[in-house]
Amino acid sequence: MEYTVKKLAQLAGVSARTLRYYDEIGLLKPERVNSSGYRIYGQKQVDLLQQILFYRELDVDLETIMQLVTDDSFDPVMALYEHRAHLLNKRARLDRIIDTVERTIASKKGAETMSDKDKFDALKEKRIADNEKAYGEEIRQKYGDKKVDESNAKLRGLSKEQYEAMQAKEQEVFALLKEALATNDPTSEAARKLAQAHKEWLQFSWTSYSKEAHAGVAKMYVDDERFAAYYNKAVPGGAVFLRDAILAYLH
């Protein structure tokens, strides 16, 4: 069966503008253009669009999707198995968060007693879900699913006191970043204290620590604009200084 832009957009639940954009960047070219100048899509394009939308559901950026689907080794069936695994993990995380929110509502109404541990489990799950949505793709590509899953498991296992200490340490990092930045010297004593505090913060969720991994994270804070924005929002110009302070500390 063949589809025009309008019909394929309706079928897939996307806008015609999106399909035209995918054509412009070479991600999803039509099978042909008819004599009237209309883009015509066939079964191959329908299947590819499905793959693209699965990746988008997992928050994979278009540049990465392009690299994946145009690679000679791309296996559509294997990709579907991977989509399924990632989506099941995503659903499991959301189910845990929804369950905890519902229990919290019930406890507020007096219908259920909820322990402090249970309350903090919800916060930990939200933090994990937010991190996965914002940075999961890059972190998993850099360190692998096993490392990220182990880190998430360690975070889930933190006690109420440990989780509160982790949050306090993060705020200490921001305070030290502001103080150290004022010295304009990433090798200063204030910068060394900043890097040490950052290391201690990482170790709340990292299952193992290495200088190489710490340096890799520091570089990512500048190389990835989303990480940079996180620190620059708290302390203007902080991302570059934090990177430099950590690299000097590790040298």
Side-chain angles (χ1 to χ4, degrees):
M1 189 167 180
E2 294 185 329
Y3 301 89
T4 61
V5 168
K6 181 179 179 180
K7 289 183 178 180
L8 182 56
Q10 291 174 338
L11 176 71
V14 298
S15 68
R17 181 180 180 182
T18 294
L19 294 181
R20 294 190 186 97
Y21 180 66
Y22 287 173
D23 181 10
E24 289 173 11
I25 65 175
L27 179 59
L28 182 68
K29 305 293 290 184
E31 185 173 79
R32 60 187 175 87
V33 177
N34 68 14
S35 58
S36 300
Y38 289 103
R39 296 174 175 88
I40 303 298
Y41 297 85
Q43 191 60 54
K44 182 179 179 181
Q45 289 74 41
V46 171
D47 291 344
L48 178 55
L49 178 58
Q50 184 191 42
Q51 291 280 6
I52 292 168
L53 295 181
F54 279 141
Y55 280 121
R56 294 299 291 148
E57 180 62 30
L58 294 167
D59 299 314
V60 181
D61 64 87
L62 292 178
E63 183 179 351
T64 301
I65 295 173
M66 177 88 78
Q67 294 172 354
L68 291 169
V69 301
T70 59
D71 192 291
D72 291 338
S73 63
F74 179 70
D75 184 337
V77 176
M78 184 58 66
L80 288 171
Y81 278 112
E82 292 173 354
H83 293 323
R84 181 177 183 274
H86 286 305
L87 289 168
L88 286 173
N89 286 335
K90 184 176 182 179
R91 184 175 72 181
R93 290 196 303 272
L94 290 173
D95 284 345
R96 286 194 294 269
I97 295 172
I98 291 169
D99 177 68
T100 308
V101 170
E102 289 177 344
R103 292 181 59 201
T104 302
I105 292 171
S107 71
K108 293 295 184 183
K109 291 182 175 180
E112 179 180 342
T113 300
M114 195 174 191
S115 69
D116 288 339
K117 178 182 180 302
D118 290 339
K119 293 175 183 176
F120 276 87
D121 283 346
L123 295 175
K124 288 183 284 187
E125 287 298 336
K126 184 178 186 304
R127 187 184 188 109
I128 290 171
D130 288 346
N131 286 342
E132 285 282 357
K133 182 176 181 180
Y135 316 115
E137 179 192 343
E138 290 77 10
I139 294 296
R140 288 180 180 277
Q141 285 182 354
K142 188 174 182 65
Y143 297 106
D145 289 337
K146 185 173 184 291
K147 282 286 186 183
V148 176
D149 291 341
E150 287 175 349
S151 177
N152 289 341
K154 184 175 181 181
L155 180 56
R156 289 190 179 100
L158 294 180
S159 67
K160 172 179 176 290
E161 292 74 20
Q162 289 172 324
Y163 186 73
E164 288 176 333
M166 177 183 176
Q167 290 180 304
K169 182 61 67 174
E170 184 175 30
Q171 294 307 308
E172 181 184 344
V173 168
F174 287 134
L176 288 171
L177 177 55
K178 184 176 182 180
E179 177 184 332
L181 183 61
T183 70
N184 198 33
D185 180 6
T187 65
S188 66
E189 178 62 19
R192 190 196 68 78
K193 290 180 179 179
L194 165 65
Q196 175 64 31
H198 187 266
K199 174 184 176 180
E200 293 169 359
W201 174 68
L202 289 175
Q203 290 177 304
F204 278 100
S205 59
W206 282 17
T207 54
S208 61
Y209 173 86
S210 72
K211 289 184 176 181
E212 293 77 13
H214 196 178
V217 166
K219 292 173 182 176
M220 192 181 298
Y221 287 164
V222 175
D223 296 340
D224 189 299
E225 62 183 16
R226 287 168 294 180
F227 284 97
Y230 181 73
Y231 284 100
N232 289 335
K233 182 179 180 181
V235 182
V240 170
F241 187 88
L242 177 58
R243 177 201 62 187
D244 293 345
I246 291 171
L247 295 180
Y249 170 80
L250 296 173
H251 185 66

